[in-house]
Amino acid sequence: MNPKEMTGLQLLQAMCAGKIPPASISETMPMQPYEVTEGTIRFKVKADSRHLNPLGGVHGGFAATVLDSVTGCAVHSMLEAGVGYGTIDLNIKMCRPIPKDQELLALGTVINISKNLGISEGKIVDDEGKLYAHATATCMILR
């Protein structure tokens, strides 16, 4: 099936199953969706030596990019075929430094969706649930 003919959920399910390639940003920021349902998505993410700031810590842009992705994909999972979205607001709270070379989970959940706007939240956590970063996002739905 042509990706443009798939609902957002179908496209993201195909991506999780490896039937279509992930977005090219995942080559720069290692993140891979692995589970999606309507309104929620889960990614595995791992910062590496390409993502460091001048002090040697993981740059905040890593968390920002990951959170933009999971919040947007959560909204996308609720859209019909041929409908797009764009982030118009992303509010991020960094709770602790993102560790280098450690796999973390990024979770996105829709809070509210209407005809023109999707509001979602995202978080980056470790396998024990420790919170590293949190975001809320507003996405414009492009019909």
Side-chain angles (χ1 to χ4, degrees):
M1 182 182 284
N2 179 341
K4 293 183 181 189
E5 297 172 356
M6 302 168 106
T7 67
L9 182 60
Q10 289 170 331
L11 183 131
L12 291 164
Q13 287 171 331
M15 198 177 292
C16 288
K19 294 179 180 175
I20 61 172
S24 61
I25 188 66
S26 66
E27 295 172 23
T28 304
M29 303 288 183
M31 53 184 170
Q32 177 63 45
Y34 69 92
E35 183 179 309
V36 63
T37 60
E38 191 172 279
T40 66
I41 192 156
R42 295 172 173 264
F43 280 53
K44 293 179 182 178
V45 303
K46 186 190 286 190
D48 60 38
S49 60
R50 297 174 295 165
H51 308 111
L52 305 182
N53 63 31
L55 299 175
V58 174
H59 191 282
F62 179 85
T65 301
V66 167
L67 290 167
D68 184 48
S69 296
V70 297
T71 55
C73 286
V75 169
H76 193 195
S77 73
M78 298 189 72
L79 300 180
E80 57 271 21
V83 177
Y85 68 94
T87 303
I88 58 174
D89 178 71
L90 183 66
N91 185 322
I92 302 168
K93 304 293 183 222
M94 308 289 190
C95 302
R96 55 180 42 90
I98 299 286
K100 183 180 140 206
D101 297 326
Q102 178 182 336
E103 187 172 86
L104 298 173
L105 305 176
L107 318 170
T109 307
V110 169
I111 296 170
N112 188 64
I113 195 155
S114 66
K115 180 181 176 188
N116 298 313
L117 293 177
I119 301 169
S120 57
E121 70 175 345
K123 47 188 176 172
I124 299 174
V125 298
D126 64 16
D127 56 4
E128 296 174 2
K130 186 187 297 183
L131 183 65
Y132 287 83
H134 178 268
T136 55
T138 305
C139 295
M140 180 179 295
I141 298 171
L142 306 168
R143 298 185 186 280

